[in-house]
């Protein structure tokens, strides 16, 4: 069990609650209607910030302390990409499909999820 929860978000449809914690780094997804835990996922590094990319929990993006952005699908980890500098915040722009990460420098990193670049 994580001993510290750092981030909590509710899905856009209001049916799921996603929480990220540390010690160990873990993500838990809760279903509100059933008042139960849907699933639990261990990850490699602690989560700095995360975004819900779909209306439910089926698409998630995690900005991790080890400078990686992990993309998760309903079945688990789908893709992992490393950014050059330490990330501080993560934003998703649904109209363009861009995942934007602000780093510890003055640079901003953009990943287009539709085109994969």
């Amino acid at each position: 069990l994580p001993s510290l929860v750092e981030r909590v978000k509710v899905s856009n449809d209001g049916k799921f609650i996603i929480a990220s914690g540390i010690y160990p780094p873990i993500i838990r997804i809760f279903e509100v209607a059933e008042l139960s835990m849907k699933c639990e996922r261990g990850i490699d590094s602690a989560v700095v910030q995360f975004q819900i990319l779909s209306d439910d929990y089926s698409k998630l993006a995690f900005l991790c302390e080890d400078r990686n952005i992990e993309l998760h699908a309903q079945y688990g980890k789908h893709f992992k990409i490393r950014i050059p500098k330490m990330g501080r915040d993560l934003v998703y722009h649904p109209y363009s499909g861009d995942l934007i990460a602000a780093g510890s420098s003055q640079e901003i990193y953009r990943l287009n999820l539709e085109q994969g670049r």
Side-chain angles (χ1 to χ4, degrees):
L1 296 174
S3 59
L4 177 66
V5 175
E6 289 188 317
R7 303 272 185 259
V8 176
K9 291 191 180 186
V10 178
S11 64
N12 292 335
D13 61 5
K15 296 180 182 178
F16 299 98
I17 298 172
I18 297 105
S20 69
I22 56 175
Y23 307 118
I26 202 164
I27 294 147
R28 287 190 172 173
I29 300 170
F30 299 93
E31 189 172 4
V32 175
E34 299 292 326
L35 296 175
S36 64
M37 185 170 64
K38 187 79 171 168
C39 67
E40 177 180 277
R41 299 176 185 170
I43 55 174
D44 298 332
S45 179
V47 174
V48 175
Q49 186 60 270
F50 72 93
Q51 290 295 322
I52 303 169
L53 306 177
S54 62
D55 287 336
D56 56 359
Y57 73 96
S58 62
K59 295 178 185 174
L60 303 168
F62 298 98
L63 177 63
C64 299
E65 283 184 352
D66 61 355
R67 296 180 9 212
N68 284 317
I69 296 175
E70 289 189 13
L71 300 175
H72 285 237
Q74 194 168 2
Y75 55 83
K77 184 169 31 172
H78 177 72
F79 184 73
K80 186 177 187 179
I81 188 168
R82 190 169 179 94
I83 57 175
K85 302 279 185 182
M86 186 73 162
R88 296 215 174 135
D89 202 4
L90 189 68
V91 176
Y92 177 62
H93 189 260
Y95 302 109
S96 64
D98 288 336
L99 192 62
I100 302 164
S104 57
S105 65
Q106 295 179 355
E107 298 172 355
I108 294 175
Y109 307 104
R110 183 180 66 140
L111 175 65
N112 188 290
L113 301 178
E114 288 184 3
Q115 298 175 1
R117 57 182 182 144

